[in-house]
Amino acid sequence: VRGLAVLDDWAHRIERVLLCLVLGLMIVVVFADFAMRELGIGGLAWSKAAATYAMVWVGFLGASLATRGRKHLKVDASEKLIPRRFHQHMGVFVGLVAAGFCFYLAWLGGAVVYDSMVSGKKSPVMDLRMWVVQAGIPFACILMGVRFLLRDAGGNLYRLIRGLPPPESPTAGHGLPLPPDAAPGKEPA
């Protein structure tokens, strides 16, 4: 488990750096375009395309970071409908379904990235290879899938095998510890 936590920490660092770089670049480009237009010097014809492409990365990296800190949306109706003794079973099921969905999205995204690489598709405005833009989708979906698989499904399964009491929420994945910066009540760094 410790090795997985170290890998997750490294993935988290990479995600944060990428997110900051892409978001910062997006802000600078959009602001520069706005300022240039207001000053009457024209503008950056490619700024809207760049902001749109950056938003793909920002959105999916943000979703992955939310998954790490368990800040993602979840349906908690099952907590009220099933007895508490079955919460861990539901947590395993929900974790497996969520991971499967993320891996399916990663597979579909990977197919699109591969197609773009093989065909040599480029952005008409920026002359940027489209696979660079699209690669954010499978990258983030793989990270989310692994986190759902290990933390939610694996965490609840671990608790079942060990005979530990169920967590407060079947979809919380409390079988494995939260990273220190994602503890409840604490905003992730």
Side-chain angles (χ1 to χ4, degrees), residues 39-56:
L39 294 172
I41 344 174
L44 303 171
W46 48 269
S47 67
K48 288 179 185 167
T52 302
Y53 299 154
M55 206 56 176
V56 170

Side-chain angles (χ1 to χ4, degrees), residues 134-181:
Q134 299 159 343
I137 298 169
F139 175 75
C141 286
I142 287 170
L143 288 175
M144 287 188 289
V146 167
R147 287 175 175 149
F148 278 124
L149 189 63
L150 295 177
R151 290 215 178 128
D152 291 347
N156 281 295
L157 186 60
Y158 174 82
R159 293 178 72 85
L160 275 170
I161 291 169
R162 294 284 186 156
L164 299 171
E168 294 302 314
S169 166
T171 56
H174 288 187
L176 297 177
L178 275 169
D181 64 340

Side-chain angles (χ1 to χ4, degrees), residues 28-49:
V28 167
V29 167
V30 169
F31 179 76
D33 179 54
F34 170 78
M36 290 171 72
R37 288 180 194 276
E38 289 298 313
L39 294 172
I41 344 174
L44 303 171
W46 48 269
S47 67
K48 288 179 185 167

Side-chain angles (χ1 to χ4, degrees), residues 54-160:
M55 206 56 176
V56 170
W57 275 88
V58 169
F60 278 91
L61 286 174
S64 181
L65 288 172
T67 301
R68 181 179 192 267
R70 295 192 183 102
K71 305 280 186 197
H72 52 79
L73 296 175
K74 68 176 184 168
V75 178
D76 58 357
S78 64
E79 295 174 33
K80 296 169 180 69
L81 297 175
I82 63 171
R84 183 167 160 80
R85 68 180 182 271
F86 295 115
H87 281 194
Q88 289 167 316
H89 298 85
M90 182 57 76
V92 172
F93 175 73
V94 169
L96 289 173
V97 169
F101 180 74
C102 290
F103 290 137
Y104 180 66
L105 283 179
W107 180 72
L108 292 175
V112 170
V113 169
Y114 178 76
D115 180 55
S116 293
M117 289 175 79
V118 170
S119 67
K121 287 183 188 172
K122 288 186 177 183
S123 163
V125 178
M126 296 181 58
D127 197 38
L128 174 70
R129 301 236 180 237
M130 289 305 295
W131 70 265
V132 173
V133 175
Q134 299 159 343
I137 298 169
F139 175 75
C141 286
I142 287 170
L143 288 175
M144 287 188 289
V146 167
R147 287 175 175 149
F148 278 124
L149 189 63
L150 295 177
R151 290 215 178 128
D152 291 347
N156 281 295
L157 186 60
Y158 174 82
R159 293 178 72 85
L160 275 170

